[in-house]
Amino acid sequence: MNVETPTTSEGFQMAHLGLNPKKVFRNLPVARLYELALKHEPGTIITSTGALATVSGAKTGRSPRDKRVVREQGTEKEVWWAAPNSGSPNHEMDERSFLLNRETALGYLNSLPHVFVFDGFANWSPESRIKVRVITERAYHALFMSNMLIRPTPAELDDFGEPEFVIYNAGAFPANRYANYMTSSTSVAISLKHREMVILGTEYAGEMKKGVFSYMHYLMPKRGILSLHSGCNVGHDGDVTLFFGLSGTGKTTLSTEPHRPLIGDDEHCWGDGGVFNIEGGCYAKCIGLQANSEPEIFKAIRFGAVLENVMVKGPSRQVHYASSALTENTRASYPITYIDNARIPCVGPHPRNVVLLCCDAFGVLPPVSRLTLEQAMYHFISGYTSKVAGTEMGITEPEATFSACYGGAFLMWHPMKYAAMLAERMSKHGTKAWLVNTGWTGGSYGVGRRMSLRKTRAIIDAIHSGELSRVETAALPLFGLQVPVSCHGVPHEELQPHKAWGNEDAYNSTLTHLARLFVNSFKQYLEDAHEHVGSELAERILTGGPDGAQLEAYEAKHEPLSGSKLGTTGAPKTAAAKAEGPAMAAAAGVLALAQLVAA
C-alpha cells in the first residue's frame, strides 16, 4: 500500500478493515491538504484571509431522518430506540443491512485513485481519550476532521495502533434507497458493536463531527461520565460556565468571549475531575459574521480553517458572509488553538454556572430566569428553542421545536438518564442554573425583535459577576420561573416580557399556548421514565415544568393560539411550502455554485 504520511508508515495497515486503496494520504500537513483539495475538488478556493473555502454538494446540513443505529445484542437494551411519538433519533437497522452499506462504502473507497486518512483523538482528558480514524475521499473532509479532532503528535501517530472508532465516509456515493431500512439515497449509520460509522449519499462534513459525538453520547455515560451538547468557558478565578443550546441560540458566540478562556464551543464531558472538551476544534455558524461583533471567530478564519458553503467575492476572494445563496447554514471549522484565549489543554474544574439557551420565536420567555434544580432538569430535558434557518435541510425560517437535552438528534440513552446525571453533579458541586432567551422580545417572530447580542452578553456578565444571584425576582406565570427585576445593561421593561409586549391579553394567550406545548412535548418522556431514573425522581422533575392546574385556568380564561402557529405574522410554513422549499434552495444553490466556480 502506497502511503504518504509525515511520519513513518511502518505498522499502518487497513487490509483487515477491507480497505486496500491504491494511494493513502495519512495525516497530511495543512498545506499539502490545500494542494490536493485545490487540484481535485472543483469549487475549492483560497480566501483573502488564507482559509480554504469549499462546497459540500447537494446536502448543506445534517440529514437526521437518514440516521440509523444498529440493533445488536449487548447494546439493544441500553439504546433509546425510536418509536411513534417517542422523540428518539435512533431509528434501527439490522446488522446485515449495516454490513451491506459498509461493503458498499469499502467498494467505492477501494475504487478511487486515492483516499485520505486522519487518525486523531476524541476527549482532552487523558483517562478518557478515544482513538478515532476517518477514511474519506475528499481532502476537505480530512482537513475538517484534522481541525475537529485532537491532532496527535508525531510520536503519538507512530504509536497510534488500532482505532477505537472508525468512520467510512463514502459520501459521494449514494445509498440504495430500495434496500432495507433506507428512506433515501442518504444513509448515516452507526454500529456500537463494530464501533464504526458509514456515510453514504451526503458530503456535509458535519455528519462526521456529530457521528463522533453520538458515539461519545453512548460510551461516556456508560463509563459514568456525563456527555453534553454545550459550550464551555472559564473565568480567571476558575469559575466554569456550561452553555447549552441548539444551533442558532448563540452557544458558540457566547462561549467565545475575549475575557474568559474558551474550553470548547460545542461538545463536552463532565466527570469526577471536572469538565473536558471532546473536540480539538470549533465549528461555528458564520452567516452574517462581522469582525466587530464576533472578533475571536472572525480572526480564527485564516490559513488552516475550512469555510463550508460560503460565497466568495470574485478576484478579491473576500468572503461574503452576509450571503445565503448556497445555504443559511454556512460554517467555519478551525482548530481551537486559533482562538487567542483558548485554554489548552481544554479541561477545567467543576462548573459554577449552567446556562440553558433558547431562541424563543414566541417572544414570551424572559431574557433570563433563575432556575431551581427541578426546573433545570425539566428545561434541560425539554430543550426548547426554535429551529432557525439552515441548521437542517428544508428549514428556511424559524420553527418551534423541542430537542431533548438540547441535542436530541445525538442522544443514545433516554433523556432522563442524562438529566439525572446532570442533577447529581449540580447538587454535589453547588452549580447554579439559568434559562437565557436569545430569541424575540416585544412580540412573536414577525412582530417583535430579536434580543441584541450586546444585551445577552450583559446578562451573561451579570451571571458571572454574581449580580443576578443577588437581585430580587418576580415569578413568571404558568412556568414559575424566577425572573430578575434588574440587570445592568438591560432595560427594566425587557426583563419582564409582558411589559415589552404592550398587549397583556395577547401575551397571556401566547404564553398559555407555549406552556401547553411544553406539557404536551414532555409526555413522550414519562411513559418509561421509571425504568431509567425511578418514579420518584421523574415526578420531581415534572414539578419543574408548567403548573397543570394553573395552565387549565389560563386556558379557560385566555383563548390560546390554534395549532403550532406563532401568530398571524409569524406562523411556520405550511406543509406544502416546506415541501417546495428544499427544491427552491437546491436550484438557488446550483446557480450560486456556478457563480462561485466561475469567479
Side-chain angles (χ1 to χ4, degrees), residues 437-554:
N437 173 24
T438 64
W440 274 255
T441 183
S444 297
Y445 169 74
V447 176
R449 62 191 181 279
R450 186 86 189 256
M451 281 291 297
S452 72
L453 180 59
R454 177 180 59 83
K455 291 175 183 175
T456 299
R457 279 181 166 152
I459 289 170
I460 299 300
D461 287 344
I463 289 173
H464 289 149
S465 70
E467 174 191 345
L468 293 187
S469 296
R470 298 187 294 268
V471 301
E472 294 182 5
T473 60
L476 181 73
L478 296 178
F479 287 85
L481 305 175
Q482 295 303 307
V483 184
V485 299
S486 65
C487 176
H488 181 74
V490 182
H492 173 75
E493 62 274 11
E494 290 192 18
L495 292 172
Q496 305 294 326
H498 69 282
K499 294 181 179 179
W501 272 56
N503 184 333
E504 195 149 346
D505 286 339
Y507 172 80
N508 284 329
S509 292
T510 309
L511 182 70
T512 302
H513 177 62
L514 181 59
R516 175 55 65 187
L517 289 180
F518 265 88
V519 170
N520 290 344
S521 173
F522 208 83
K523 290 177 181 177
Q524 64 190 309
Y525 310 124
L526 295 176
E527 184 174 346
D528 55 353
H530 63 282
E531 299 176 8
H532 301 276
V533 297
S535 299
E536 184 177 346
L537 182 56
E539 292 173 5
R540 180 184 168 198
I541 293 173
L542 196 58
T543 65
D547 180 87
Q550 192 180 27
L551 176 57
E552 290 181 2
Y554 262 63

Side-chain angles (χ1 to χ4, degrees), residues 380-445:
F380 175 68
I381 293 171
S382 294
Y384 166 67
T385 190
S386 301
K387 287 182 182 177
V388 282
T391 53
E392 291 181 12
M393 297 295 294
I395 302 298
T396 57
E397 61 184 59
E399 179 180 313
T401 189
F402 295 86
S403 182
C405 307
Y406 289 92
F410 321 117
L411 300 183
M412 285 292 186
W413 304 82
H414 191 282
M416 289 283 187
K417 180 178 179 69
Y418 299 96
M421 295 179 73
L422 178 65
E424 186 272 332
R425 282 156 176 75
M426 289 178 61
S427 179
K428 182 177 181 179
H429 301 288
T431 307
K432 296 178 180 177
W434 310 85
L435 181 66
V436 173
N437 173 24
T438 64
W440 274 255
T441 183
S444 297
Y445 169 74

